[in-house]
Amino acid sequence: MGVPGLSDAQQHIEQPGPSELRSPLVQHEIKRAGVWFAMAIGIALIVLLAQPIMLILGALVFTTMMDGGTRLLGRVLPIGRGWRLTIVLLAVVAFLAYTFYLTGSSLAAQAQAMRTIVEAQVERVGGWMQQLGITTTPEDLKSLAQQAMSSMGRVTAAVGTAVGAITSGVMMLVLAIFIAVEPKLYERGVAWMLPMDKRAHFYTVADKMAFTLRRLMFGRLIGMAVEGVGVWLLLWAGGVPMAGLLGILTGLLAFLPNIGAIISGVLIVLVGFSGGTHTGLYAFGVYMAVQIIDGYLIVPMVAKRATDLAPALVLAAQILLGALFGILGLFLADPIVAMIKVYLEERSKALAG
């Protein structure tokens, strides 16, 4: 039907106006606004769900470590995957029990003594800086450290307390165990939500990411063991106080490349100089020797062959994710960068092909 009051020529020339939804211009603008609105909702959901997202990513990292141990054990034990995974979990539990239950009382005493020593050394450094004419006081150094720990992202509020850290760790561990029991089941579940023509590419990317993370985590665990045991034995041989606790802290902090090494180095040097100048210089030499062995032998042979990540890129990711997501961001910065790198490489190969 035509529009009353208009001739046939006018009706042929007239087009829907901006007030009508059937106008192509209005439909185009609605689509553009919908895209921006959807992006805003997606960003808001990521911000609001930062804690569960990081916990899920942490569970995937734990799953990779469990899966790597299960696969490695399968080379020497031709038994079912479930039994091999059980052996890996029992070995980890036994190691933690031996480390924390049998040596827990001595480590707790050493931790309290280390806190006192570090505070005393910070005051000495502050006094030395004041003698040089620097106006920074020991209280300024303490407040700077407290501000750095208290401003490390929104996720830190959830895992910053002891109860929150234990709860988050248990949640990640349980989720990781469920995924590690049958990882292909969850991989197929994610692929089911994708279009049919995208699933083959998804399987390729997922397999490459899993392989890269297994190599990365294997190299990281080897580095943690070498640094922790090496620091403990060498500091113990040199008579440095609290060698056992420093070895454990160095091993744990070795999971965080760059930043972890700096923190452990500061602790080793501060505790070392509390026993005298010669002891401090010896502790510094031990730290440098262990870092050189790990950085120039272990990491190039294992981790860099798997990911080939630039140190500056990893450090920038740690700074950014640490500021956004706190301790979990530091913990997951390296794996996240590795997964993004694998995705971009596979995506470029798919486009080139």
Side-chain angles (χ1 to χ4, degrees), residues 41-124:
I41 293 178
I43 294 174
L45 288 176
I46 291 176
V47 173
L48 293 175
L49 300 177
Q51 178 189 353
I53 290 175
M54 298 303 289
L55 292 179
I56 292 173
L57 290 176
L60 292 178
V61 173
F62 283 137
T63 301
T64 302
M65 298 168 71
M66 296 177 188
D67 184 58
T70 304
R71 290 170 178 263
L72 188 62
L73 194 60
R75 298 183 179 182
V76 294
L77 286 180
I79 57 179
R81 176 182 174 83
W83 289 107
R84 286 184 277 123
L85 179 61
T86 302
I87 293 175
V88 171
L89 293 177
L90 290 177
V92 173
V93 171
F95 172 76
L96 293 177
Y98 175 80
T99 302
F100 293 102
Y101 286 96
L102 297 183
T103 62
S105 58
S106 61
L107 289 179
Q110 289 184 12
Q112 182 61 34
M114 176 180 289
R115 178 178 180 180
T116 304
I117 291 175
V118 170
E119 290 180 352
Q121 292 295 89
V122 168
E123 292 181 358
R124 290 181 59 185

Side-chain angles (χ1 to χ4, degrees), residues 120-198:
Q121 292 295 89
V122 168
E123 292 181 358
R124 290 181 59 185
V125 172
W128 176 68
M129 294 175 65
Q130 285 183 329
Q131 291 179 359
L132 296 178
I134 302 175
T135 58
T136 302
T137 63
E139 288 73 17
D140 295 333
L141 297 177
K142 291 181 181 180
S143 63
L144 179 62
Q146 293 175 354
Q147 291 176 6
M149 294 302 297
S150 63
S151 62
M152 294 187 64
R154 51 180 287 117
V155 181
T156 307
V159 300
T161 63
V163 176
I166 294 174
T167 304
S168 301
V170 170
M171 291 174 60
M172 286 191 292
L173 183 60
V174 172
L175 182 58
I177 293 174
F178 278 118
I179 299 176
V181 170
E182 195 173 356
K184 291 297 181 182
L185 174 65
Y186 300 95
E187 185 178 338
R188 290 193 299 268
V190 176
W192 176 78
M193 296 185 292
L194 301 175
M196 291 291 293
D197 58 341
K198 302 293 184 181

Side-chain angles (χ1 to χ4, degrees), residues 13 78 104 108 189 215 254 277-278 283 313 316 328:
I13 296 174
R215 293 286 298 272
T277 303
H278 295 289
L313 177 62
L328 280 178

Side-chain angles (χ1 to χ4, degrees), residues 307-324:
T307 57
D308 193 25
L309 296 176
L313 177 62
V314 175
L315 181 59
Q318 288 177 337
I319 295 173
L320 177 61
L321 294 180
L324 292 175

Side-chain angles (χ1 to χ4, degrees), residues 190-331:
V190 176
W192 176 78
M193 296 185 292
L194 301 175
M196 291 291 293
D197 58 341
K198 302 293 184 181
R199 295 183 184 180
H201 179 66
F202 167 77
Y203 286 127
T204 301
V205 174
D207 291 341
K208 185 65 179 296
M209 282 185 178
F211 173 77
T212 301
L213 286 182
R214 286 196 299 270
R215 293 286 298 272
L216 179 64
M217 293 300 104
F218 176 74
R220 195 59 48 78
L221 290 176
I222 295 296
M224 292 170 65
V226 170
E227 290 193 32
V229 175
V231 166
W232 169 49
L233 293 178
L234 292 175
L235 292 181
W236 174 75
V240 179
M242 292 166 285
L245 181 59
L246 287 173
I248 292 176
L249 291 177
T250 301
L252 293 176
L253 290 171
F255 194 89
L256 305 175
N258 304 320
I259 294 179
I262 295 173
I263 297 175
S264 61
V266 170
L267 292 176
I268 290 173
V269 172
L270 289 177
V271 174
F273 275 100
S274 68
T277 303
H278 295 289
T279 305
L281 294 176
Y282 175 80
F284 178 75
V286 168
Y287 167 75
M288 293 300 298
V290 171
Q291 291 298 323
I292 290 173
I293 292 174
D294 181 62
Y296 288 93
L297 293 179
I298 297 175
V299 173
M301 286 191 302
V302 182
K304 286 188 177 180
R305 288 186 180 181
T307 57
D308 193 25
L309 296 176
L313 177 62
V314 175
L315 181 59
Q318 288 177 337
I319 295 173
L320 177 61
L321 294 180
L324 292 175
F325 305 115
I327 301 300
L328 280 178
L330 288 175
F331 173 76

